């Protein structure tokens, strides 16, 4: 049980959370960061990041490690692997209950990010780890000289399809429309890749397996024709859904469930800020997440100054 009241507790240790921690600590706030797993966040599993200013190419894991090392230079208390059970954002002193601890804070920065959306087709959930994967970086190496499919038409789907080509002998890229929404530079690169075969205007209807996935049923949405595609693995990359379950009924969200914030990252709850993929942002990138964190850190300090509730060290 932690008996301190923190000035700011940051929920989530990805780029947005780590950047928030840096800015809070530099504003001399008594700061803690809590995560259900190791710090670093989703980009730890990105094969390569090419659009973080100052690094033309860097592995997600390396960039996130550098973020954490930077935060470690400051007095930030880190609580990784804390299973958060409940959060009370309603009173001036906010409470966070985890499996092993109770934490209190005058401000909260929510940086819990988003998780992969599911296809919601037969055979998907049952075969996670048996040929269905949401992480090419984690599982790609299991598919050496095998045939896999990636589903989706955004940046993630195209980038991860190209990543999988290092291992797989063939990668189908299944997309429900006839145009991709990924950045044009990524689409151009995809065209050069001979191992990738796009299957457009198609949806996955079913994933079939014995002990391991062995095929999928796909439907052409224009003709209605159903086809069986033999393969060894399938990687759905069809977007993300926010990790907001802990905050339901305490904070305003948009129609897709992302937390509404103003330009200062303030949410509808007093002293509560939201940053990164979980908020209703027009762009979800590591660089924008980090920028959100900087704003929220400064705003949390400003909030404490104006409410005169800052805890002195
Ligand atoms: P996204 O941009 O939302 O793309 C999701 C894709 O999945 C879309 O092509 C969508 O089709 C398709 N889709 C959605 N629901 C589907 C369903 N039920 N069945 C079949 N297909 C479905 O998601 P993302 O690629 O995961 O990216 C998430 C965010 O991270 C984005 O903001 C993205 O820009 C960012 N990101 C950036 C980078 C980078 O800059 N290098 C890398 C990765 C991710 P439609 O096109 O028809 O809607």
């Amino acid at each position: 049980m932690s008996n301190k009241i923190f000035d700011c507790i940051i929920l989530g240790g990805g780029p947005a959370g780590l950047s928030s921690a840096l800015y809070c600590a530099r504003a001399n706030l008594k700061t803690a960061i809590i995560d259900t797993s190791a710090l670093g966040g989703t980009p730890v599993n990105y094969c390569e990041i090419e659009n973080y200013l100052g690094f033309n190419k860097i592995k997600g894991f390396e960039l996130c490690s550098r973020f954490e090392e930077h935060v470690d230079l400051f007095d930030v208390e880190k609580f990784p692997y804390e299973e958060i059970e409940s959060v009370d954002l309603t009173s001036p002193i906010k409470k966070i209950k985890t499996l092993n601890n109770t934490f209190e804070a005058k401000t909260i920065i929510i940086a819990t990010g988003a998780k992969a959306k599911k296809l919601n087709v037969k055979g998907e959930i049952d075969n996670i780890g048996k040929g269905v994967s949401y992480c090419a970086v984690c599982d790609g190496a299991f598919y050496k000289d095998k045939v896999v499919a990636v589903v989706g038409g955004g940046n993630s789907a195209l980038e991860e399809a190209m990543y999988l080509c290092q291992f797989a002998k063939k990668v189908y890229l299944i997309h429900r429309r006839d145009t991709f929404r990924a950045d044009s530079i990524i689409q151009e690169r995809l065209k050069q890749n001979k191992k990738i075969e796009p299957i457009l205007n198609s949806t996955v209807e079913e994933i079939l397996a014995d002990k391991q996935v062995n095929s999928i049923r796909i439907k052409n949405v224009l003709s209605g024709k159903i086809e069986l595609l033999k393969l060894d693995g399938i990687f759905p990359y069809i977007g993300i859904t926010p990790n907001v379950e802990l905050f339901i009924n305490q904070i305003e969200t948009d129609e897709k469930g992302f937390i509404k914030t103003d330009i200062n990252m303030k949410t509808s709850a007093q002293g509560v800020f939201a940053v990164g993929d979980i908020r209703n942002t027009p762009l979800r990138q590591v660089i924008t997440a980090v920028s959100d964190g900087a704003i929220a850190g400064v705003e949390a300090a400003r909030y404490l100054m104006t409410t005169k509730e800052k805890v002195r060290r």
Side-chain angles (χ1 to χ4, degrees):
M1 162 95 180
S2 169
N3 54 7
K4 290 182 265 196
I5 298 180
F6 287 93
D7 289 328
C8 184
I9 289 184
I10 297 146
L11 302 176
L18 288 167
S19 165
S20 302
L22 178 69
Y23 276 76
C24 285
R26 286 175 59 86
N28 209 25
L29 305 189
K30 189 186 276 292
T31 304
I33 187 161
I34 302 176
D35 200 303
T36 50
S37 54
L39 303 193
T42 316
V44 163
N45 295 321
Y46 289 175
C47 42
E48 214 106 53
I49 295 172
E50 294 184 3
N51 53 6
Y52 192 83
L53 192 66
F55 296 88
N56 62 340
K57 219 173 225 204
I58 184 162
K59 298 222 173 305
F61 177 77
E62 195 189 336
L63 187 60
C64 295
S65 301
R66 288 191 189 203
F67 291 161
E68 192 176 349
E69 282 163 22
H70 195 167
V71 169
D72 285 344
L73 299 176
F74 296 87
D75 190 11
V76 173
E77 290 193 47
K78 299 192 295 185
F79 298 92
Y81 302 105
E82 282 280 349
E83 197 60 53
I84 303 173
E85 290 185 327
S86 66
V87 175
D88 179 2
L89 303 174
T90 49
S91 44
I93 303 292
K94 289 104 182 51
K95 281 195 178 56
I96 296 146
K97 278 198 177 143
T98 69
L99 216 52
N100 305 312
N101 279 303
T102 300
F103 297 89
E104 292 184 322
K106 301 197 166 186
T107 64
I108 297 281
I109 299 177
I110 300 173
T112 49
K115 55 182 160 293
K117 262 171 59 180
K118 303 280 183 294
L119 288 165
N120 289 325
V121 296
K122 197 170 163 209
E124 181 181 22
I125 302 297
D126 294 347
N127 290 304
I128 293 175
K130 293 186 246 166
V132 176
S133 169
Y134 304 89
C135 179
V137 172
C138 319
D139 298 330
F142 296 125
Y143 295 92
K144 193 158 170 32
D145 298 324
K146 305 223 162 155
V147 178
V148 297
V150 170
V151 189
N155 282 330
S156 299
L158 271 65
E159 285 187 345
E160 302 308 322
M162 284 186 275
Y163 175 79
L164 286 165
C165 289
Q166 291 179 67
F167 313 102
K169 64 178 179 198
K170 183 169 190 70
V171 179
Y172 293 111
L173 179 59
I174 301 167
H175 181 37
R176 63 183 177 184
R177 292 189 294 128
D178 62 353
T179 47
F180 295 117
R181 69 166 63 226
D183 296 348
S184 40
I185 188 169
I186 301 174
Q187 294 196 40
E188 281 310 312
R189 218 173 283 158
L190 183 92
K191 283 182 198 156
Q192 314 303 320
N193 196 313
K194 302 283 174 260
K195 277 191 180 180
I196 298 177
E197 182 181 329
I199 302 180
L200 301 177
N201 296 312
S202 297
T203 53
V204 176
E205 299 294 298
E206 188 180 353
I207 299 169
L208 298 110
D210 34 53
K211 281 184 185 151
Q212 282 278 322
V213 167
N214 54 37
S215 54
I216 58 173
R217 244 185 265 286
I218 56 169
K219 178 171 148 188
N220 184 301
V221 293
L222 302 179
S223 66
K225 196 177 153 203
I226 305 260
E227 200 187 322
L228 192 74
L229 204 60
K230 284 195 181 304
L231 44 64
D232 306 288
I234 176 165
F235 292 79
Y237 275 102
I238 59 166
I240 52 174
T241 176
N243 292 319
V244 284
E245 294 78 4
L246 288 164
F247 319 111
I248 297 280
N249 298 330
Q250 300 190 62
I251 214 157
E252 262 184 54
T253 55
D254 69 10
E255 67 288 351
K256 290 184 177 160
F258 291 94
I259 295 175
K260 284 187 183 174
T261 66
D262 67 8
I263 55 166
N264 295 321
M265 308 301 140
K266 286 183 186 157
T267 69
S268 58
Q270 279 272 315
V272 180
F273 304 82
V275 292
D277 285 0
I278 196 164
R279 76 176 192 96
N280 60 338
T281 171
L283 188 61
R284 292 191 172 85
Q285 305 273 296
V286 177
I287 204 158
T288 51
V290 161
S291 156
D292 284 0
I295 295 170
V298 169
E299 286 300 320
R302 197 168 285 156
Y303 169 85
L304 288 169
M305 248 161 35
T306 53
T307 54
K308 299 196 189 338
E309 284 182 352
K310 187 173 168 208
V311 176
R312 298 271 162 224
R313 281 171 205 250

